[in-house]
Amino acid sequence: MITDLRQAFRLLLTAPGFTSLVVAVLAIGIGATTVIFSIVDGVLLRPLPFADAERLIAIQSVTRGDDDGTASVPDVIDLKAARTVQDVVGYTGGSVILTGRGEAATLLTTFVTGDLMATLGAPLLRGRSFADADVRPGAAPTAVIAEHLWRERFGADAAVVGGTATIEGQACTIIGVAPETFDFPIQSKRVDVWLPIATTQIGAQLASQRGAHFVHTIARLAPGASAEQAAAELGAIGERLAREFPKSNAARLVRVVPLQERIVRQHRLALTVLLGAVGAVLLIACANVANLLLTRGVGRRRELAIRAALGAGRGRIVRQLLVESVVLSAIAGAVGVLLSLWGLAAVVAASPVDIPRLHDVRIDRGVLAFAALLSAATGIAFGMIPAFQASRLDAGETLKGTTIAADPRGVRTRQILVASEVAISLLLLAGAGLLGRTLLNLQRVDVGFAAERTLAMEISLPDTRYPNDPARIAFYRRTIDALRSIPGVRSAAAGSTLPLTGNDMGIGFRVEGRPVRDEDHTNAAYHAVSPDYFSTMGIRLVRGRAFTARDDEQAPPVLVVSETLARTYFPGEDAIGKRVTIGYHNSGPREVIGVVADVKESELSEKAQPEMYAPFPQTPWPFFSVVVRTERDPAARAAALRAAIVRLDPEQPPGDVQTLTHYVRLATAQPRFTATLASAFAAIATLLAGLGIYGVLAYGVAQRRREIGIRLALGAQPGDVRRLVMTQAAALGAAGLGAGLAGALLLTRALSSLLFGVTASDPTTFGAVSLLLMAVVVAAAYLPARRATRVDPMIALRAD
Amino acid sequence: MLISLRNVEKSYPHGVGRTYVLRRVNLDIKEGEFVSIMGPSGAGKSTLLHILGMHDSAWSGEYYFMDQPVHRLNPKQRSELHKKHIGFVFQSYHLLDNLTVYENLEIPLSYRNVSRKDRQSMVADILDRFQIVGKKDLYPNQLSGGQQQLVGVARAVIANPQVVLADEPTGNLHSAQGKEIMELFRSLNESGATIVQVTHSEVNASYGTRIIQLRDGWVVDD
């Protein structure tokens, strides 16, 4: 073996061009596969970083067509009765304001209904987690802070536990510090503080309502209980709640999924598709290298025949050639891993922000082991065919020099390999084409508002300083006035939430005068907005009127609805003038005064959903987002926006300022990421397939020099010779295209749920990628064809 | 009997019929003989030698080597028999270009699973015996034709085969070098090895004890 290894290294060094080419082709394949595998491993496969993570479950309260799975806090309390699970806890995200520790800061918060750390089996760095007494309504405010907050804002004070922090203007006792290794919920930005859900006034209000489904629920399977048993028991509790509380729970089911599955499910298909795509690229790289080795094998026949004549058995020759292949792939693997370090950083930087755990993905020992295995497997995969072909040669004939140069078996194998490369390339091109068209279609979607030249900022008002509606309404008015007076700002408005920003709110409603049936699911996206909201956002008014300053807290309650709500709930009649009661701020029925165009709330691919808008002063919230429309570059006004808020209230930290175009772009981030990577892999695959075709044809022309010389000597024109080569190329291309189309039609179905506005068998896409690939085949055939026409019959025949 | 051929034939399909390279070859070679196979080009000499050397397996008839029926052995068994008893010398030397003289000599031993230590001593012995110690680190392209063939012969005999088959071993050498190689064969023969050579040269044939004449695939004189 050592001899084989030594000879393999020497052989590779004697042909540096060949070695470099093979290493480059394989390194690209192995590097790309390692990058995607490391992401799949880090995001999908690696267990969550909690004790006995496989026993953690998410309990979802779902309605038909609603996959969010959030439950109400009273539901969570009832679910605790289950014996098959323990440590049931609900949580939801939000933000709070920290003051008195340097500049006022907005903290990313997770509000909990219980001991989240106990559920996850995560020890604290200092202190303790929440006890039942801490999460009861009316309990003294407590907080568990993250280690980074402890270091940055509390100077890593060893006596922090038992001390207080001013959160939302009230003194909260810090009961614990969570270590940096604790990260939950797993999201792109790390949580700064964990608080009982009733810490804020609005949290306390919502936590008491059975109909407010806003917390995610997790639990740990009880010892000895299976997920199926838990699902059955929790399902039964869900059915009981539906019977007992039909108004809020009639259409709800309780289901159980592994926690890891809930966290990564959204990204599973896209990442699996990318892993498949990169695997296909590696396959093509292997086919290309196998082709190169087969071609080189012809030149090595004499050497192998001598070895056979000296006593090397077939197994020994196969072993030697495989050792060479594995040495090649090992070098390529090492280069590929180096490439993957760079590639992973590039992919992570280009990836959408919401892929959980992506930023923790590393090329670690597990990934290195994968790369090593992959390299060895690759070496064997591409080395096997050439090794077996070479081992079958007839030593006697070869050494007598009577074997014809072109072994028909080898030629056929090379042709099959190249046709396979074309087929796989078509598969990848078709997939990339469909994902690309999806991205284009998404980018063309009418979001329902004009995102250009707008800036938005979230504002969260602490209960202590803004304890009631009048205080909140006053700040809201002063804010809008202040923003409107910023030079370069054309108009300013506010809304409880803004579309596509990741904050959406749904509220139930009832149409006055209609019987209420419990099973009716009358829920609509809801926004409390300022008078200029529609004009500032560029949302088209379809009928009726928009809000004015006169629609204030003293005026009769009014409502504006979207076209879809009007069409769905008032079919064949005019929604204007109808009266609707909304499930928030018990202010009685509201008159519908206007209908506006539909707006995309959370996703570009979503169907239009019912939406309703109420004047902010009539349904005030302790948080809202402001939006301004500027005359020129909106980004230039960001600092002025922040300064305006600080001037109004120095203790009120301004939130992140972003353009609405940023949020719209963010909404296409995931499909753009998938489409970009798939396109990159398809491009590499097509390039490699083109190289493969070029190699086979060029070799074929070299082998057929004598035949071509004779043809030319007998009067063939250059066009005839060119046709000879092009026909061979076309046959290879057509065979590959045929197989590729059949495969693509089958496999692209798996992409269906990632597509938008295009079917998985879209004829335009399939036609376009087939044409593109055929063009690559023709381009790859051009040089060999031209070389064939330049064969000098005299030289070719004399050389024979 | 060391080698016995009975009705050995080799042919290729040609149109509807077959083209014969060897016809009904019957041959017996005893241990210790020095046989020269002669005949014009295309007579089938090299083909016969490669059949004897078990490089070629596509033939019909019976071939007994040391009483073993080669015609009934599978490729692996043939390979074992060949490795154990036969050394081969080629007209074009056929040294491996990427290996040094030392490594070229080591190759047949490595294929016979000889231990590294034994290989070292056997290669050292043969380098000494053929007086090419100074050339051991050179590559074939750094040697003259005669030196290359010297290495070729050394490689053929390094594993102490009973039979050395040589296919026109001096065909590419000038007369002085050719004489040196033939003297080497004579001395190998005198020390007990059976030699079978294909040659066009009467002079080379005169080193042997027996001449077999082939013409159009037939043995015409023995």
Side-chain angles (χ1 to χ4, degrees):
Chain A
M1 186 58 88
I2 291 169
T3 310
D4 284 345
L5 273 172
R6 201 176 55 223
Q7 289 179 13
F9 272 111
R10 191 180 304 161
L11 195 75
L12 298 179
L13 287 175
T14 55
F18 174 85
T19 305
S20 309
L21 182 64
V22 169
V23 166
V25 167
L26 286 177
I28 289 171
I30 293 174
T33 309
T34 304
V35 168
I36 301 299
F37 174 79
S38 66
I39 294 174
V40 168
D41 179 51
V43 174
L44 300 184
L45 305 179
R46 191 169 301 173
L48 297 175
F50 307 117
D52 290 333
E54 70 286 351
R55 297 194 64 77
L56 291 171
I57 54 166
I59 305 171
Q60 299 186 309
S61 170
V62 294
T63 54
R64 282 183 295 274
D66 175 6
D67 225 17
D68 183 30
T70 45
S72 67
V73 175
D75 283 354
V76 174
I77 293 166
D78 286 331
L79 289 169
K80 284 185 174 186
R83 289 178 179 181
T84 50
V85 291
Q86 59 189 35
D87 302 323
V88 178
V89 62
Y91 66 91
T92 188
S95 61
V96 293
I97 294 168
L98 172 74
T99 48
R101 292 272 166 184
E103 268 182 35
T106 303
L107 303 183
L108 198 59
T109 311
T110 294
F111 295 101
V112 297
T113 67
D115 192 349
L116 180 74
M117 285 72 178
T119 309
L120 297 170
L124 291 187
L125 189 65
R126 280 166 192 276
R128 63 174 178 86
S129 183
F130 301 105
D132 285 347
D134 298 315
V135 294
R136 279 197 198 110
T142 49
V144 172
I145 59 173
E147 185 181 346
H148 65 264
L149 189 74
W150 173 56
R151 294 190 183 282
E152 289 160 15
R153 293 278 176 160
F154 296 85
D157 178 7
V160 71
V161 173
T164 57
T166 310
I167 290 173
E168 295 288 283
Q170 62 183 333
C172 284
T173 304
I174 298 171
I175 58 169
V177 179
E180 213 51 24
T181 48
F182 178 73
D183 181 22
F184 194 86
I186 296 169
Q187 54 194 22
S188 53
K189 284 187 184 168
R190 294 180 78 95
V191 173
D192 300 310
V193 64
W194 292 265
L195 298 170
I197 212 149
T199 303
T200 62
Q201 222 175 66
I202 184 79
Q205 264 177 38
L206 292 174
S208 63
Q209 294 174 25
R210 178 74 65 176
H213 294 90
F214 71 105
V215 292
H216 295 284
T217 314
I218 62 168
R220 185 173 282 279
L221 291 172
S226 68
E228 292 74 23
Q229 288 167 332
E233 189 184 15
L234 292 164
I237 294 176
E239 285 168 20
R240 179 172 61 77
L241 293 177
R243 283 194 303 276
E244 287 178 18
F245 307 101
K247 206 169 170 182
S248 56
N249 287 44
R252 290 191 172 268
L253 302 166
V254 171
R255 75 176 179 201
V256 168
V257 292
L259 179 59
Q260 179 154 3
E261 175 63 16
R262 207 214 67 213
I263 291 171
V264 302
R265 181 180 48 200
Q266 189 191 345
H267 304 282
R268 181 179 298 282
L269 179 60
L271 289 178
T272 309
V273 164
L274 288 178
L275 188 64
V278 81
V281 171
L282 183 62
L283 214 56
I284 291 181
C286 283
N288 248 358
V289 173
N291 239 328
L292 285 168
L293 289 180
L294 278 170
T295 307
R296 193 178 68 150
V298 174
R300 288 184 66 187
R301 280 185 179 178
R302 177 180 156 273
E303 175 209 331
L304 297 175
I306 295 169
R307 287 180 183 275
L310 293 176
R314 205 173 153 189
R316 188 66 196 264
I317 287 179
V318 168
R319 188 180 92 182
Q320 190 202 331
L321 293 177
L322 280 181
V323 165
E324 288 173 23
S325 304
V326 172
V327 165
L328 262 175
S329 67
I331 297 170
V335 178
V337 167
L338 288 177
L339 283 179
S340 71
L341 292 172
W342 167 82
L344 180 63
V347 170
V348 169
S351 67
V353 290
D354 64 337
I355 296 183
R357 306 203 279 175
L358 181 63
H359 292 270
D360 296 329
V361 170
R362 301 277 179 276
I363 305 287
D364 58 11
R365 269 186 302 184
V367 175
L368 284 178
F370 167 81
L373 267 178
L374 184 71
S375 303
T378 303
I380 292 168
F382 71 71
M384 197 65 91
I385 295 176
F388 273 103
Q389 285 229 338
S391 73
R392 284 200 303 207
L393 64 83
D394 187 324
E397 295 297 313
T398 306
L399 292 175
K400 280 190 289 172
T402 53
T403 303
I404 50 167
D407 170 18
R409 207 168 40 206
V411 171
R412 200 165 46 249
T413 308
R414 278 193 290 278
Q415 288 174 341
I416 291 171
L417 282 172
V418 165
S420 307
E421 288 181 37
V422 173
I424 298 171
S425 297
L426 185 97
L427 201 68
L428 291 181
L429 279 173
L434 292 172
L435 292 169
R437 287 200 65 188
T438 294
L439 180 61
L440 280 180
N441 291 340
L442 286 172
Q443 284 170 339
R444 286 187 197 133
V445 161
D446 178 9
V447 293
F449 59 90
E452 302 75 28
R453 297 207 306 281
T454 54
L455 268 185
M457 177 172 67
E458 286 177 25
I459 292 174
S460 176
L461 303 173
D463 297 333
T464 44
R465 282 183 297 113
Y466 300 94
N468 49 37
D469 289 350
R472 289 168 192 157
I473 294 167
F475 185 81
Y476 141 88
R477 287 206 170 105
R478 283 165 53 213
T479 303
I480 292 180
D481 289 343
L483 299 183
R484 208 178 275 146
S485 63
I486 295 173
V489 168
R490 188 174 283 175
S491 64
S496 49
T497 58
L498 296 180
L500 297 181
T501 56
N503 304 317
D504 49 348
M505 196 189 301
I507 282 188
F509 68 94
R510 185 161 56 83
V511 179
E512 197 74 3
R514 287 190 192 168
V516 181
R517 290 180 302 165
D518 290 331
E519 62 272 29
D520 282 348
H521 188 61
T522 52
N523 205 48
Y526 161 82
H527 302 264
V529 302
S530 66
D532 289 337
Y533 180 77
F534 298 116
S535 58
T536 304
M537 287 290 288
I539 298 172
R540 188 168 49 90
L541 180 68
V542 179
R543 258 196 330 280
R545 67 171 179 88
F547 301 127
T548 68
R550 285 191 299 279
D551 295 312
D552 58 15
E553 53 273 44
Q554 269 79 45
V558 287
L559 197 69
V560 168
V561 299
S562 67
E563 282 183 291
T564 295
L565 190 146
R567 201 169 42 244
T568 310
Y569 293 96
F570 305 101
E573 47 185 335
D574 193 353
I576 308 275
K578 295 288 186 297
R579 296 174 70 77
V580 172
T581 301
I582 64 169
Y584 174 68
H585 214 275
N586 199 10
S587 48
R590 302 176 163 270
E591 182 184 342
V592 177
I593 56 161
V595 177
V596 292
D598 291 323
V599 167
K600 295 289 179 190
E601 290 288 342
S602 53
E603 282 179 32
L604 296 177
S605 57
E606 72 191 9
K607 284 184 186 159
Q609 54 174 311
E611 292 155 329
M612 53 192 186
Y613 304 84
F616 188 90
Q618 293 184 359
T619 57
W621 289 83
F623 55 84
F624 57 88
S625 292
V626 293
V627 58
V628 298
R629 182 163 292 280
T630 59
E631 282 164 3
R632 291 193 193 85
D633 177 20
R637 304 268 80 83
L641 232 70
R642 276 192 286 264
I645 301 298
V646 174
R647 268 198 306 276
L648 285 175
D649 181 352
E651 290 204 4
Q652 178 64 40
D656 270 355
V657 180
Q658 288 290 358
T659 60
L660 286 184
T661 47
H662 164 80
Y663 291 113
V664 174
R665 201 174 150 70
L666 219 56
T668 58
Q670 170 76 56
R672 185 182 304 113
F673 175 68
T674 317
T676 306
L677 279 186
S679 302
F681 296 149
I684 295 172
T686 308
L687 184 73
L688 290 178
L691 278 175
I693 288 172
Y694 167 80
V696 163
L697 293 177
Y699 179 72
V701 167
Q703 292 296 312
R704 293 171 76 182
R705 269 171 62 85
R706 179 171 171 274
E707 176 205 330
I708 292 167
I710 294 170
R711 283 174 187 270
L712 288 169
L714 292 176
Q717 297 300 305
D720 300 321
V721 174
R722 199 178 299 123
R723 206 170 304 121
L724 204 67
V725 179
M726 297 307 271
T727 307
Q728 195 192 353
L732 282 173
L737 283 183
L741 277 173
L745 280 170
L746 280 175
L747 290 176
T748 50
R749 280 188 211 163
L751 293 178
S752 291
S753 65
L754 296 178
L755 301 181
F756 174 71
V758 62
T759 61
S761 55
D762 178 52
T764 313
T765 306
F766 277 65
V769 297
S770 300
L771 278 177
L772 172 68
L773 203 51
M774 211 55 202
V776 170
V777 170
V778 170
Y782 174 73
L783 274 182
R786 200 176 67 160
R787 199 172 302 147
T789 62
R790 293 186 177 172
V791 167
D792 183 333
M794 295 304 292
I795 294 173
L797 295 175
R798 203 181 301 144
D800 185 45
Chain B
M1 195 62 65
L2 183 68
I3 289 171
S4 272
L5 299 186
R6 293 289 169 267
N7 288 318
V8 166
E9 292 198 330
K10 180 168 177 74
S11 61
Y12 298 105
H14 184 240
V16 288
R18 300 191 76 79
T19 299
Y20 282 87
V21 186
L22 290 175
R23 298 300 306 254
R24 291 181 219 159
V25 175
N26 292 295
L27 190 65
D28 290 307
I29 297 173
K30 291 198 266 311
E31 220 170 320
E33 278 194 284
F34 189 149
V35 180
S36 299
I37 302 173
M38 301 187 75
S41 293
K45 308 182 295 291
S46 289
T47 303
L48 178 58
L49 200 71
H50 281 287
I51 289 174
L52 293 178
M54 299 177 207
H55 298 151
D56 189 341
S57 51
W59 44 268
S60 62
E62 296 176 4
Y63 172 12
Y64 295 90
F65 184 89
M66 298 175 81
D67 299 327
Q68 297 258 20
V70 176
H71 52 282
R72 290 202 203 110
L73 301 182
N74 64 30
K76 196 169 177 193
Q77 290 166 324
R78 282 185 195 189
S79 173
E80 285 305 314
L81 201 60
H82 156 258
K83 274 200 284 191
K84 213 167 166 185
H85 303 292
I86 298 173
F88 211 102
V89 179
F90 304 95
Q91 178 181 0
S92 310
Y93 332 131
H94 285 331
L95 300 180
L96 293 176
D97 302 332
N98 292 319
L99 305 187
T100 61
V101 166
Y102 184 98
E103 289 164 336
N104 263 291
L105 293 174
E106 198 184 18
I107 280 252
L109 301 176
S110 73
Y111 291 149
R112 284 159 176 79
N113 296 324
V114 177
S115 74
R116 188 176 171 76
K117 201 175 159 197
D118 288 345
R119 287 207 306 265
Q120 283 173 339
S121 81
M122 288 168 85
V123 173
D125 272 356
I126 206 93
L127 285 168
D128 195 33
R129 194 165 132 207
F130 280 64
Q131 296 175 6
I132 48 175
V133 176
K135 314 271 191 249
K136 74 180 172 62
D137 293 325
L138 299 183
Y139 286 92
N141 62 7
Q142 294 170 302
L143 302 176
S144 70
Q147 288 167 334
Q148 286 189 53
Q149 192 58 300
L150 204 59
V151 177
V153 177
R155 185 179 65 181
V157 300
I158 191 165
N160 294 320
Q162 275 95 329
V163 185
V164 174
L165 303 175
D167 190 2
E168 300 200 41
T170 63
N172 287 343
L173 303 179
H174 61 68
S175 55
Q177 290 173 327
K179 187 165 182 286
E180 190 184 349
I181 295 296
M182 289 317 298
E183 290 294 347
L184 197 55
F185 279 127
R186 187 189 336 240
S187 103
L188 286 170
N189 182 238
E190 282 168 2
S191 57
T194 306
I195 311 283
V196 181
Q197 68 164 340
V198 164
T199 183
H200 280 111
S201 159
E202 297 287 348
V203 178
N204 286 356
S206 70
Y207 283 86
T209 52
R210 179 179 164 194
I211 295 174
I212 295 167
Q213 288 286 352
L214 276 182
R215 196 150 291 144
D216 297 332
W218 297 88
V219 176
V220 292
D221 191 20
D222 188 355

